[in-house]
């Protein structure tokens, strides 16, 4: 297992465009998380899935954001009508069950909205 | 609401020094605490995980301690090297999640080790 994989690594988009990121978790992990990190800050929780069910969303997740995990394996995070304030590192993590044995993070997708 | 604070925000030391990074949290009802390393523009690499029943964990030159009652953890780095330069993040795992999520991070300590 190669760990948590995120694609693309970098994305530059014009304001108003839609973007989609993909995360492939560790195969035996049933929980998948999305976090957002801006410069100089720690990662902030966006949402998480247990298998294919999205169980929690942060208030940070506006209506322009949507996440899916259709078959309980990989997940996608889509941002519609991007704004400059969406520029950040988007991190994906996975864990077994509630994460009592730790979370494993991917390398992140750096989004720049111009 | 759980809040995690890391002090100092930045630290610069000469190579070879031993150093301590601090993490404090407001709600002591945590299940575990995880220290991560983040290189510029990269994702997070897990360094050490301390379960709530444990007091410390060691890996190579790294030692992390946990005192739940006082809401504190420290990460000790022995004989620092330039390759240790990175941002170190502390995160606590809570049983309750909600809109904050279960894993809550501090803002990190940016470490620079000078040759």
């Amino acid at each position: 297992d190669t760990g948590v994989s995120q694609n693309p690594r970098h994305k530059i988009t014009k304001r108003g465009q839609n973007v989609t990121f993909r995360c492939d978790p560790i195969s035996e992990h049933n929980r998948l998380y999305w976090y957002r990190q801006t410069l100089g800050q720690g990662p902030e929780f966006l949402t998480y899935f247990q298998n294919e069910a999205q169980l929690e969303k942060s208030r940070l997740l506006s209506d322009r954001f949507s996440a899916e995990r259709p078959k309980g394996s990989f997940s996608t995070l889509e941002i519609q009508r991007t704004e400059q304030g969406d520029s950040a590192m988007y991190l994906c993590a996975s864990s077994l069950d509630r994460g009592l044995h730790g979370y494993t993070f991917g390398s992140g997708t750096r989004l720049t909205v111009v | 609401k759980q809040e995690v604070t890391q002090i100092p925000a930045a630290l610069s030391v000469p190579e070879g020094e031993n150093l301590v990074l601090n993490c404090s949290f407001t709600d002591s009802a945590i299940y575990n605490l995880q220290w991560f390393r983040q290189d510029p523009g990269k994702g997070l690499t897990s360094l050490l995980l301390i379960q709530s029943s444990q007091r410390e964990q060691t890996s190579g030159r790294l030692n992390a301690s946990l005192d739940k009652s006082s809401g504190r953890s420290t990460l000790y780095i022995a004989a620092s090297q330039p390759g240790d330069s990175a941002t170190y993040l502390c995160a606590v795992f809570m049983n309750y999640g909600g809109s904050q999520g279960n894993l809550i991070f501090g803002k990190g300590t940016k470490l620079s080790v000078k040759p």
Side-chain angles (χ1 to χ4, degrees):
Chain A
D1 198 328
T2 56
V4 178
S5 177
Q6 290 189 247
N7 287 289
R9 293 294 306 274
H10 304 277
K11 179 71 176 179
I12 300 175
T13 190
K14 293 183 178 179
R15 189 174 53 187
Q17 298 294 305
N18 299 343
V19 293
T20 300
F21 311 140
R22 175 176 170 130
C23 173
D24 288 87
I26 292 174
S27 56
E28 59 264 29
H29 285 181
N30 56 353
R31 287 203 174 188
L32 184 148
Y33 312 84
W34 286 99
Y35 280 77
R36 182 172 71 183
Q37 185 181 27
T38 54
L39 201 62
Q41 302 295 314
E44 294 178 292
F45 170 76
L46 291 178
T47 188
Y48 87 90
F49 294 82
Q50 178 159 312
N51 300 315
E52 66 275 9
Q54 187 173 16
L55 295 185
E56 200 64 64
K57 297 182 191 180
S58 161
R59 56 180 171 77
L60 296 176
L61 210 67
S62 76
D63 292 343
R64 295 183 299 105
F65 288 69
S66 63
E68 294 182 342
R69 194 182 183 198
K71 297 182 180 179
S73 55
F74 72 92
S75 175
T76 58
L77 177 67
E78 180 183 19
I79 309 175
Q80 296 182 327
R81 304 181 303 282
T82 53
E83 302 173 355
Q84 286 189 322
D86 297 331
S87 295
M89 173 76 88
Y90 290 84
L91 295 161
C92 176
S94 68
S95 73
L96 185 61
D97 298 326
R98 289 191 299 151
L100 293 180
H101 299 287
Y103 285 32
T104 302
F105 279 80
S107 298
T109 294
R110 166 73 65 188
L111 173 66
T112 302
V113 182
V114 297
Chain B
K1 179 183 174 183
Q2 174 72 273
E3 293 185 359
V4 180
T5 302
Q6 292 188 245
I7 295 174
L11 182 63
S12 182
V13 299
E15 182 177 5
E17 274 204 5
N18 303 325
L19 56 99
V20 175
L21 307 181
N22 297 292
C23 173
S24 62
F25 43 95
T26 54
D27 185 346
S28 61
I30 68 171
Y31 271 69
N32 63 37
L33 184 146
Q34 199 167 357
W35 281 93
F36 294 89
R37 169 185 172 138
Q38 186 174 34
D39 293 293
K42 305 292 186 182
L44 276 60
T45 300
S46 181
L47 297 174
L48 290 165
L49 173 71
I50 311 176
Q51 300 287 356
S52 61
S53 58
Q54 298 172 322
R55 298 284 292 184
E56 64 179 308
Q57 281 286 339
T58 298
S59 176
R61 295 183 293 108
L62 304 180
N63 176 277
S65 67
L66 173 63
D67 184 342
K68 280 183 59 177
S69 61
S70 66
R72 293 180 183 176
S73 176
T74 60
L75 179 66
Y76 175 82
I77 302 176
S80 58
Q81 303 171 356
D84 295 331
S85 298
T87 296
Y88 290 81
L89 292 157
C90 166
V92 298
F93 181 83
M94 310 297 297
N95 187 36
Y96 59 83
S99 62
Q100 197 180 13
N102 289 95
L103 190 67
I104 300 158
F105 285 84
K107 293 184 178 181
T109 293
K110 186 174 182 180
L111 173 64
S112 177
V113 182
K114 305 295 185 183

